[in-house]
Amino acid sequence: MALVKNSLFARYYTRFGARNEERGNRELRRELLTGLSGRVLEVGSGTGLNFAHYPASVCEVVAVEPEPYLRERTAEAAAVAPVPVRVTDGIAARLPAADGEFDAVVVSGVLCSVPDVAAALTEFGRILSPGGELRFYEHVRSPDPLLAGVQAVADLFWPRLMGGCHVTRDTRAAVDRAFTVESCRELRFPSCGGWSPVAPRILGTARKAG
Ligand SMILES: C[S@@+](CC[C@H](N)C(=O)[O-])C[C@H]1O[C@@H](n2cnc3c(N)ncnc32)[C@H](O)[C@@H]1O
């Protein structure tokens, strides 16, 4: 039932995605996941780079990955994860989960690629328990108008090269419309070195009404 197939991007991401871990991404993933507990659903888990950083207070992660090649990589990472991880097919707008089933939803580098951000966020809200958390780490449109202009030009070709990833999304505003944002840190990645269209990022927590 694979609904997302990006074979070339999947292979590229598997080969090169982990390079950023050495440049500070590992610490950002840790920050993203710290303090989580209970049952967590991770959407678009990719090669499973988050798994090593889930705290022991998480009793189960359900990892939803629609791309077949990446789902195999997710399964390999799940097998050696420090917490139990169950891997499944699915897409952000239609998750294989019952209403209110999860304590938290985690996304990193995913809301840039889903076809409809608002529909995905509505679906996250559906499967979260009252008071449940959304943890997000996403690249976003730059607050600097000049850099946002560069991103707009990049967005003309970037999605075709990068598995449907858009670099102009105001994800913070979208999360604000669907949840109560409790924290949202703006950062640039990598923190030193050159600028790229995916450099402006946000990392934070939002909560579903209790
Ligand atoms: C840049 S990768 C990020 C992977 C991983 N979350 C990480 O932090 O390394 C984008 C991921 O989003 C997934 N994805 C793309 N469209 C999706 C959709 N509609 N629903 C769920 N996941 C999707 C891709 O298959 C891929 O795993």
Side-chain angles (χ1 to χ4, degrees), residues 4 9 13 29 42-46 49-50 65-67 70 91-92 108-110 113-115:
V4 172
F9 172 74
Y13 194 73
R29 291 183 191 280
E42 181 175 332
V43 184
S45 47
L49 289 170
N50 280 330
E65 175 48 59
E67 209 292 324
L70 289 175
I91 54 167
S108 56
V110 171
S113 300
V114 301

Side-chain angles (χ1 to χ4, degrees), residues 113-202:
S113 300
V114 301
D116 183 338
V117 177
L121 291 168
T122 299
E123 181 68 349
F124 300 171
R126 179 186 72 76
I127 67 153
L128 277 173
S129 58
E133 287 180 70
L134 170 66
R135 297 286 183 99
F136 54 91
Y137 169 37
E138 295 285 331
H139 65 79
V140 294
R141 183 166 75 213
S142 173
D144 178 326
L146 195 64
L147 296 177
V150 176
Q151 287 175 310
V153 174
D155 213 49
L156 297 173
F157 58 87
W158 197 272
R160 265 179 261 180
L161 300 175
M162 294 294 172
C165 162
H166 291 270
V167 295
T168 53
R169 290 191 171 166
D170 187 354
T171 303
R172 161 74 203 247
V175 173
D176 257 330
R177 284 192 285 273
F179 292 88
T180 304
V181 174
E182 291 191 336
S183 70
C184 183
R185 186 159 86 75
E186 293 182 15
L187 59 121
R188 193 181 109 171
F189 184 89
S191 56
C192 47
W195 186 87
S196 85
V198 296
R201 298 188 181 192
I202 54 171

Side-chain angles (χ1 to χ4, degrees), residues 28-53:
L28 292 166
R29 291 183 191 280
R30 228 169 265 149
E31 180 181 337
L32 173 72
L33 303 174
T34 194
L36 281 176
S37 60
R39 296 191 70 223
V40 177
L41 187 139
E42 181 175 332
V43 184
S45 47
T47 55
L49 289 170
N50 280 330
F51 297 166
H53 309 296

